[in-house]
Amino acid sequence: MATYQPKPEDKFTFGLWTVGNRGRDPFGCEIREAKTPAEIVYMLGEVGAYGVNFHDNDLIPIDATSGETEAIKGEFRKALKDTGLVVPMATTNLFYDPIFKDGAFTSNDPKVRAYALQKTMKAIDLGVEFGTGIFVLWGGREGTETDASKNPVDAIKRNREAINFLCDYALEKKYDLKFALEAKPNEPRGDIYNPTTGHMLAFIATLDHPEMVGVNPEVAHEHMAGINFMHSVAQAWEAGKLFHIDLNDQYPGRYDQDLRFGSRDLKAAFFLVKFLEDVGYAGSRHFDAHAYRTEDYDGVKDFARGCIRTYLMLKDKAKQWNADKEIQSLVSEINADDGAMNLFLGKYSAAKAAALKAQPFDRAAIASRGLKYERLDQLTIDLLLGSR
Ligand code: GCO
Ligand code: MN
Ligand code: MN
């Protein structure tokens, strides 16, 4: 019986804000006591995580004195050393403080935009100090409730200007750093700019240093937008832009739930894990989720272990799917190609186009073939439910 023990090469990571989440929601206060960053690192060590990620203010409170800052860093560094955890990703909180009530990089107020850049440069320094190679930018407040308030074209330009500035900053400092942009359609804003991973990919192509910038897609965010998450991930991967990933789960059409990975749409989670493993994605598997509000810290550990265990079980199932003779014979039947169309397909030439225009096709005969996708899907379900 497999034990599904995580290994460092699995690269399972959690943010300080995930297992450190205290259960506050818009209708109720915190129900778990606060833990220091160092305590959270020890907890992550216990559940077998490889790394821990942080927002600047998860680690250092926004108003900390330099003495307090040094003390926190010292404890955090010790916890990392004791547990062997690394910091693969860092980010900046541009959404909590009241100054960001109307956005950060896209705010109408130039003072807010300037402060957001200053805060982000300092967060980059902090991340790099702890060895991070990926800096995530999630613009939770970059949006509107009323479009009377902002011009979306200005917002795009301001966002571009900020990210170009930060890329130049990292280059000038000679940091070995890449940026990963995280899209979300709404929450906390009524509407957030660049609402999906696809929007982000299009935006990245317009930057001064597109090679330094990729995406950090999140399951919940694409599900909130009603989108097939794995397809977004595949598009990012194919474009060489899958720099990071946020794993969790989410019922569509609801508030932002941040559920334990795989706990809502197991089949979607299976195809996602299968995709990541099949293509050999080598980045962090970051669980950006949190435990139910019903839990104490034992429950939080159950939650974190559950994320990891489900991922590993699905990875096993993906291997089984790839090795299953019946499934694979259907897959090759579906993809059969006798080469007869090579004459017409592929790169354009005038001769090819002329030949193709003259070629008769028996539409009815081609369309009459059943594709056996029902059988293939049921075999997948059988496999997932342990009946194969
Ligand atoms: C959310 C987001 C955040 C970001 C985090 C890192 O819905 O709140 O997913 O958790 O991932 O701020 O930038
Ligand atoms: Mn989220
Ligand atoms: Mn996220």
Side-chain angles (χ1 to χ4, degrees):
M1 193 69 189
T3 55
Y4 302 113
Q5 287 310 306
K7 297 190 204 69
E9 58 268 31
D10 295 321
K11 296 203 178 149
F12 293 126
T13 67
F14 292 83
L16 285 179
W17 69 94
T18 63
V19 283
N21 179 287
R22 298 176 57 201
R24 189 168 54 91
D25 70 17
F27 302 93
C29 62
E30 288 84 355
I31 45 99
R32 289 183 283 269
E33 72 275 15
K35 292 224 179 268
T36 66
E39 285 170 339
I40 295 173
V41 170
Y42 290 113
M43 182 161 71
L44 287 176
E46 257 184 77
V47 303
Y50 156 80
V52 57
N53 309 313
F54 57 75
H55 297 87
D56 45 0
N57 304 134
D58 299 336
L59 188 59
I60 315 287
I62 196 161
D63 288 322
T65 63
S66 59
E68 285 160 354
T69 301
E70 288 318 306
I72 295 169
K73 282 186 189 174
E75 278 176 35
F76 187 65
R77 200 170 281 117
K78 178 170 185 308
L80 292 175
K81 195 158 167 270
D82 290 347
T83 56
L85 261 73
V86 294
V87 178
M89 180 271 257
T91 179
T92 179
N93 185 324
L94 297 176
F95 45 89
Y96 193 84
D97 193 85
I99 192 173
F100 301 125
K101 65 186 180 189
D102 190 30
F105 300 151
T106 65
S107 166
N108 282 332
D109 185 340
K111 285 201 193 73
V112 176
R113 299 205 296 275
Y115 174 70
L117 271 182
Q118 182 201 68
K119 189 173 194 290
T120 307
M121 285 190 291
K122 289 182 180 174
I124 290 174
D125 296 345
L126 182 68
V128 169
E129 186 181 335
F130 283 97
T132 194
I134 297 282
F135 196 85
V136 164
L137 290 169
W138 172 64
R141 298 270 174 206
E142 314 289 13
T144 59
E145 283 72 42
T146 168
D147 286 328
S149 66
K150 266 186 224 168
N151 176 337
V153 170
D154 287 346
I156 292 167
K157 289 186 193 304
R158 289 171 184 164
N159 214 357
R160 180 184 299 125
E161 189 181 279
I163 293 166
N164 286 341
F165 188 104
L166 295 168
C167 285
D168 278 328
Y169 176 71
L171 286 171
E172 202 225 353
K173 288 276 177 189
K174 299 203 165 32
Y175 288 158
D176 185 10
L177 193 69
K178 289 199 162 169
F179 294 89
L181 309 187
E182 179 174 344
K184 189 176 184 182
N186 57 273
E187 217 177 316
R189 292 318 289 270
D191 291 289
I192 300 178
Y193 298 123
N194 281 333
T196 68
T197 298
H199 289 80
M200 283 300 183
L201 289 170
F203 172 71
I204 290 168
T206 72
L207 298 174
D208 286 350
H209 294 286
E211 72 288 352
M212 293 175 71
V213 186
V215 290
N216 178 37
E218 174 168 319
V219 178
H221 299 179
E222 308 283 311
H223 285 186
M224 285 166 80
I227 287 173
N228 181 316
F229 181 65
M230 190 270 275
H231 292 186
S232 297
V233 169
Q235 188 175 357
W237 171 262
E238 202 273 339
K241 292 294 182 195
L242 188 65
F243 289 4
H244 199 262
I245 194 165
D246 277 3
L247 302 172
N248 54 14
D249 219 340
Q250 170 78 32
Y251 284 84
R254 302 214 182 163
Y255 67 95
D256 180 13
Q257 295 175 301
D258 284 340
L259 297 169
R260 193 177 73 256
F261 179 62
S263 63
R264 198 285 295 188
D265 191 339
L266 206 48
K267 195 166 137 191
F270 166 70
F271 282 115
L272 172 66
V273 171
K274 180 169 143 43
F275 178 84
L276 294 174
E277 297 302 321
D278 283 353
V279 299
Y281 166 72
S284 292
R285 275 81 174 152
H286 172 231
F287 298 109
D288 188 9
H290 51 72
Y292 303 143
R293 193 163 182 265
T294 49
E295 304 307 292
D296 59 11
Y297 279 107
D298 283 336
V300 172
K301 285 185 227 167
D302 290 337
F303 147 84
R305 290 194 175 104
C307 287
I308 290 174
R309 186 175 168 81
T310 298
Y311 189 101
L312 290 173
M313 287 191 289
L314 291 175
K315 181 173 163 180
D316 230 37
K317 293 286 180 188
K319 257 195 226 141
Q320 202 189 327
W321 199 95
N322 289 340
D324 188 297
K325 291 216 167 58
E326 198 176 349
I327 290 176
Q328 289 311 314
S329 99
L330 278 175
V331 170
S332 29
E333 200 181 316
I334 287 159
N335 288 289
D337 182 352
D338 64 5
M341 291 296 115
N342 289 354
L343 211 56
F344 309 122
L345 295 172
K347 186 154 173 51
Y348 178 86
S349 76
K352 222 182 228 183
L356 181 53
K357 281 173 98 176
Q359 171 72 13
F361 286 96
D362 185 347
R363 291 196 332 270
I366 296 168
S368 67
R369 179 180 156 220
L371 298 183
K372 301 188 182 150
Y373 290 177
E374 284 289 359
R375 190 139 149 252
L376 183 59
D377 189 68
Q378 187 58 43
L379 290 172
T380 304
I381 296 285
D382 280 15
L383 187 147
L384 287 177
L385 294 183
S387 304
R388 278 186 85 69

